């Protein structure tokens, strides 16, 4: 029947998975917390948060009709998103503000989809977003990073059992929400030492004349609220 394969794919995407036992969800959260809290594992995994951070800048630039010139991801887990447009105004402010809150908001969205049982849809949405970012990457390390992450997500979505997919989805949601908080704390620590004069918060301070510390506080509030609500969705 015409449209049969597409309909079958759509049904697979919107199919719901039963939630794993509560202890599995709790263990996934503890493991994610350990990865974020332990310096060695955080250094290895922080690049995933950077991908979400730069993706937030890029998405907001597109939504505010700024010209997106490209994204670079670096081996020291830093990144930069290049845009063109008015150097001031709401579009620039929103683009600069989107980075630090993006991982937490993406994690909250992942928690909402996972709580609803749409694990397969979540994995495929991640693949689509990574593919869009790949088209914008302007350095070799960034390309390799996105291909590695996208390949891992594809393998989970294509080869893993529904139970394994569910555990990965819960763990990813926890990691993004917990991992979204730590860079904000690190940012303020660097700012106190004068080591981040061109951070997003300081750029926003120059754009809006609102103190950079207040922007950092706003980032922190958004990330903590996202973690609290997302954690509630996952556990309850």
């Amino acid at each position: 029947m015409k449209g049969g394969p597409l309909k079958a794919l759509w049904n697979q995407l919107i199919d719901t998975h039963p939630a794993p036992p509560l202890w599995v969800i709790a263990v996934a959260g503890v493991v994610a917390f350990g990865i974020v809290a332990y310096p060695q594992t955080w250094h290895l995994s922080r690049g995933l948060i950077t991908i979400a951070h730069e993706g937030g800048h890029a998405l907001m630039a597109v939504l505010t009709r700024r010209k997106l010139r490209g994204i670079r991801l670096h081996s020291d887990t830093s990144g930069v998103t290049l845009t063109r447009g008015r150097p001031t105004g709401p579009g620039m402010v929103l683009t600069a503000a989107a980075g630090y809150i993006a991982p937490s908001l993406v994690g909250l969205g992942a928690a909402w989809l996972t709580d609803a049982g749409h694990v397969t849809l979540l994995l495929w949405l991640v693949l689509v977003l990574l593919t869009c970012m790949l088209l914008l990457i302007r350095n070799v390390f960034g390309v390799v990073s996105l291909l590695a992450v996208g390949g891992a997500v594809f393998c989970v979505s294509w080869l893993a059992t529904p139970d394994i997919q569910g555990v990965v989805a819960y763990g990813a949601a926890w990691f993004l929400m917990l991992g979204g908080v730590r860079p904000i704390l690190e940012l303020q620590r660097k700012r106190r030492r004068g080591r981040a004069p061109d951070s997003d918060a300081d750029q926003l301070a120059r754009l809006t004349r609102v103190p950079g510390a207040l922007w950092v506080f706003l980032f922190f509030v958004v990330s903590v609220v996202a973690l609290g609500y997302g954690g509630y969705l996952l556990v309850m």
Side-chain angles (χ1 to χ4, degrees):
M1 182 178 66
K2 187 176 181 180
L6 291 177
K7 184 177 181 181
L9 176 61
W10 175 248
N11 289 336
Q12 181 182 357
L13 289 177
I14 64 173
D15 190 23
T16 57
H17 294 200
L22 182 58
W23 70 267
V24 174
I25 300 172
V27 168
V30 171
V31 171
F33 178 80
I35 292 173
V36 172
Y38 190 58
Q40 281 73 15
T41 53
W42 172 242
H43 178 72
L44 292 173
S45 61
R46 195 184 190 280
L48 299 174
I49 300 298
T50 302
I51 291 173
H53 178 114
E54 301 304 331
H57 283 313
L59 177 61
M60 188 55 67
V62 172
L63 292 177
T64 57
R65 298 187 177 183
R66 293 184 61 81
K67 186 174 180 59
L68 191 57
R69 298 176 59 187
I71 301 171
R72 291 179 176 269
L73 302 173
H74 303 137
S75 58
D76 63 354
T77 72
S78 66
V80 60
T81 299
L82 303 174
T83 66
R84 183 188 304 166
R86 289 183 57 194
T88 60
M92 187 62 194
V93 171
L94 291 172
T95 299
Y100 275 99
I101 62 175
S104 297
L105 294 181
V106 172
L108 176 59
W112 180 74
L113 285 172
T114 303
D115 171 65
H118 296 301
V119 173
T120 303
L121 179 61
L122 170 62
L123 295 173
W124 280 84
L125 283 174
V126 171
L127 284 174
V128 170
L129 293 174
L130 290 174
T131 301
C132 292
M133 282 193 69
L134 185 61
L135 299 175
L136 298 167
I137 291 293
R138 296 295 182 263
N139 66 326
V140 175
F141 182 82
V143 171
V144 173
S145 299
L146 287 185
L147 287 177
V149 175
V153 175
F154 177 79
C155 288
V156 171
S157 65
W158 194 258
L159 302 176
T161 64
D163 289 340
I164 298 299
Q165 290 180 2
V167 172
V168 171
Y170 276 91
W174 280 119
F175 173 76
L176 286 167
M177 292 186 295
L178 290 165
V181 177
R182 179 163 178 172
I184 300 171
L185 300 176
E186 293 175 343
L187 170 63
Q188 185 57 23
R189 194 178 305 122
K190 289 180 180 179
R191 292 184 70 255
R192 282 202 304 266
R193 299 172 181 173
R195 294 170 52 194
D198 294 320
S199 69
D200 292 351
D202 292 282
Q203 291 182 44
L204 286 164
R206 291 190 287 268
L207 287 168
T208 64
R209 298 188 180 181
V210 175
L214 188 57
W215 281 106
V216 175
F217 178 72
L218 178 61
F219 297 159
F220 181 74
V221 170
V222 172
S223 66
V224 169
V225 170
L227 173 60
Y229 183 53
Y232 171 81
L233 290 176
L234 295 178
V235 174
M236 302 302 292

